[in-house]
Amino acid sequence: MNAAGRSYADRSNAGSVLAQPLRPPSAARIAAHLGLFVLGGVVAVTGALVQSGWFPGGLLLALAGAAGLFLGGMRATGGRAGAVVPAAGWMIAVVLLTASRPEGDFLFAAGAGSYLFLLGGMTVAVMCATLGRGRQPDGVAARLGK
């Protein structure tokens, strides 16, 4: 016990985020993540069509759209899960689109643009999911001297 009457274990756990009990996510957070997952699949399908239609510019547009979704999801939800969830939806949609059908139909041709879209999208997803938040505090406490 210290002078304030609290034990050292209580004092050390009070500020630690890892020591807090786990709470289930709210319904709004679950709905936001489900929406981001579906939106990731939509961005993957549209990106697959755009990148092959207008090759040099379409590829950049498709990757910029994916990056915008991943970063926007991270900012909207306030955590890295907001970037990982749409990236997972994007990845699942792309993997399903690369599989050829028994009839011989396919969406991705074996060309440089398709491989750049696949590898570039995965790279953008990893980069966006591992970005840290800025060091500036939000709100009124932006100036710490006040």
Side-chain angles (χ1 to χ4, degrees), residues 82-134:
V84 172
V85 170
W90 186 91
M91 185 66 67
I92 290 171
V94 167
V95 167
L96 290 175
L97 291 174
T98 58
S100 63
R101 298 180 44 178
E103 295 89 17
D105 298 338
F106 58 90
L107 189 61
F108 285 107
S114 297
Y115 290 124
L116 286 174
F117 178 67
L118 292 171
L119 295 175
M122 287 188 274
T123 303
V124 165
V126 168
M127 287 171 45
C128 292
T130 57
L131 280 176
R133 295 199 57 153

Side-chain angles (χ1 to χ4, degrees), residues 46-64:
T46 57
L49 296 173
V50 167
Q51 66 89 18
S52 63
W54 305 311
F55 172 61
L59 176 65
L60 294 175
L61 184 65
L63 292 177

